[in-house]
């Protein structure tokens, strides 16, 4: 009996030791970060500096693997079906958890088939207005829209910018016309030329025009003002409402059932990265806001709440992808 107990004890110790060694040795080879979009843009621009810092902290290369297509679903499907060993990760955009409502038969569950690792940054938008219209503030723009229902057009270039425009119209109680564009650049150019009343664009698209005072920067869609645009109010401030938050985000996740020790090692490294002032400055210059809570649990909550909140709006406005 005593010998049996000793054997059980030795096995338990060996298993605990193996777990500790696994946590200490991960990663012991290069790790792929699948970015489900083409090179360039906010997703790629977020992933690459994070990958560089992960190399310096964890001692193994984190290789960016761009797999665009299907509104990000091609890359996501690849990761969902990969070995859950911690060596294939996904750069997760906020739209990842919205696509099930927009595209049928994805072949994976956007939440259940992934292991949350860490939220990296939030990506708010800037609402810009044309100079040739009789308003310079968001409050006046919404009053103008209220007086002339449907005559104000808001340009958007993706699902989350469309949702920002829809959320704005809802909170302001106005009717507007939503105009789809192929990107933020064309939106900014049409606002600049007076061909579009209002546009929802990234801070990078707005910053130059804002500094040159060639457009009216009406508000940012985040809960707090942006470091790169400190003189631009939030939507909540501009309209005098209790709250407004319509932005996307980028995070890291792996396939479901990833080893806990790999998740914790990565999460700790991300936490360290997000305390680095050079990295914080780099993200601020891109108009990105580093996540305050980078824990896997926080990301899991974010994925669920973002899906639920925006899913209701998607259903309400009957949003579809072309």
């Amino acid at each position: 009996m005593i010998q049996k107990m000793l054997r059980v004890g030795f096995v338990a110790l060996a298993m605990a030791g193996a777990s500790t060694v696994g946590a200490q040795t991960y990663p012991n080879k290069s790790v792929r970060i699948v970015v489900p979009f083409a090179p360039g843009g906010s997703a790629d621009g977020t992933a690459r500096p994070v990958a560089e810092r992960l190399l310096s902290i964890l001692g193994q290369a984190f290789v960016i693997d761009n797999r665009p297509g299907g509104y990000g679903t091609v890359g996501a499907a690849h990761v969902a079906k990969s070995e859950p060993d911690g060596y294939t990760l996904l750069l997760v955009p906020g739209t990842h958890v919205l696509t099930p409502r927009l595209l049928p038969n994805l072949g994976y569950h956007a939440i259940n088939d992934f292991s949350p690792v860490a939220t990296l940054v939030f990506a708010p938008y800037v609402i810009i207005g044309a100079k040739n219209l009789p308003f310079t503030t968001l409050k006046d723009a919404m009053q103008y829209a209220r007086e002339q229902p449907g005559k104000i057009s808001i340009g958007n270039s993706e699902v989350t910018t469309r949702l920002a425009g829809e959320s704005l119209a809802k909170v302001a109680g106005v009717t507007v016309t939503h105009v789809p564009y192929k990107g933020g650049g064309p939106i900014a150019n049409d606002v600049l030329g007076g061909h579009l009343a209002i546009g929802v664009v990234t801070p990078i698209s707005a910053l130059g025009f804002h500094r040159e005072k060639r457009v009216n920067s009406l508000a940012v869609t985040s809960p707090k003002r942006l470091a790169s645009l400190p003189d631009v109010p939030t939507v909540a401030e501009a309209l005098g409402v209790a709250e407004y938050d319509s932005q996307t985000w980028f995070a890291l996740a792996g396939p479901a059932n990833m080893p806990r020790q790999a998740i914790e090692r990565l999460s700790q490294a991300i936490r360290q990265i997000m305390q680095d002032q050079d990295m914080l400055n780099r993200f601020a210059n891109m108009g990105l806001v580093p996540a305050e809570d980078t824990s896997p649990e926080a990301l899991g909550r974010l994925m669920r709440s973002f899906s639920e909140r925006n899913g209701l709006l998607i259903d309400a406005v009957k949003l579809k992808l072309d």
Side-chain angles (χ1 to χ4, degrees):
M1 181 68 176
I2 293 176
Q3 289 180 337
K4 184 177 180 180
M5 291 176 64
L6 286 172
R7 283 198 300 271
V8 171
F10 286 139
V11 169
L13 285 171
M15 291 177 65
S19 176
T20 302
V21 170
Q24 291 173 345
T25 59
Y26 174 86
N28 57 24
K29 61 180 181 178
S30 62
V31 179
R32 279 191 309 142
I33 299 178
V34 174
V35 176
F37 303 104
S42 297
D44 196 65
T46 299
R48 290 184 185 277
V50 169
E52 292 171 6
R53 295 301 174 90
L54 285 172
L55 165 61
S56 64
I57 294 171
L58 298 179
Q60 293 290 344
F62 281 72
V63 181
I64 301 301
D65 180 4
N66 295 95
R67 290 179 177 251
Y71 299 95
T73 62
V74 171
H78 174 77
V79 174
K81 296 171 184 176
S82 295
E83 187 70 24
D85 55 7
Y87 290 94
T88 302
L89 305 174
L90 177 68
L91 191 285
V92 183
T95 50
H96 169 80
V97 297
L98 304 181
T99 48
R101 292 180 180 268
L102 302 167
L103 295 173
N105 306 317
L106 290 179
Y108 62 84
H109 192 286
I111 296 176
N112 295 345
D113 287 341
F114 295 86
S115 297
V117 174
T119 312
L120 302 175
V121 295
F122 289 89
Y125 300 108
V126 184
I127 300 171
I128 57 175
K131 284 280 193 177
N132 64 338
L133 290 173
F135 54 76
T136 58
T137 68
L138 186 62
K139 185 176 182 179
D140 289 345
M142 293 301 97
Q143 181 60 36
Y144 185 84
R146 199 170 291 113
E147 293 169 354
Q148 303 187 55
K151 290 189 177 181
I152 286 285
S153 295
I154 299 182
N156 62 83
S157 60
E158 55 181 289
V159 171
T160 45
T161 56
R162 171 65 184 274
L163 292 175
E166 293 282 3
S167 298
L168 174 63
K170 182 179 179 181
V171 75
V174 301
T175 300
V176 299
T177 300
H178 297 278
V179 183
Y181 280 76
K182 293 295 185 181
I187 292 176
N189 286 333
D190 271 6
V191 172
L192 179 66
H195 309 301
L196 178 68
I198 293 174
V200 182
V201 299
T202 63
I204 289 293
S205 296
L207 194 55
F209 294 143
H210 170 77
R211 288 173 176 165
E212 296 168 2
K213 301 186 184 302
R214 300 173 69 189
V215 299
N216 292 320
S217 296
L218 304 176
V220 294
T221 66
S222 49
K224 298 179 182 179
R225 295 193 183 201
L226 298 183
S228 56
L229 293 164
D231 55 333
V232 180
T234 66
V235 169
E237 289 175 326
L239 295 183
V241 296
E243 62 179 35
Y244 175 96
D245 180 4
S246 189
Q247 53 187 335
T248 190
W249 43 268
F250 297 108
L252 279 182
N257 303 314
M258 240 177 84
R260 185 64 194 180
Q261 59 265 30
I263 293 174
E264 290 176 352
R265 192 103 159 92
L266 288 166
S267 182
Q268 289 168 4
I270 295 298
R271 189 178 308 117
Q272 184 177 337
I273 290 171
M274 292 305 165
Q275 293 172 350
D276 182 275
Q277 192 57 51
D278 288 341
M279 183 64 79
L280 297 181
N281 292 340
R282 188 167 182 173
F283 284 140
N285 290 336
M286 295 170 63
L288 302 174
V289 181
E292 295 180 0
D293 189 344
T294 59
S295 68
E297 294 76 17
L299 175 55
R301 291 192 296 271
L302 174 62
M303 293 173 75
R304 292 188 294 273
S305 65
F306 195 80
S307 173
E308 292 166 4
R309 175 166 53 89
N310 286 289
L312 292 173
L313 185 56
I314 287 171
D315 293 343
V317 302
K318 297 179 172 56
L319 182 60
K320 302 291 183 183
L321 291 176
D322 297 329

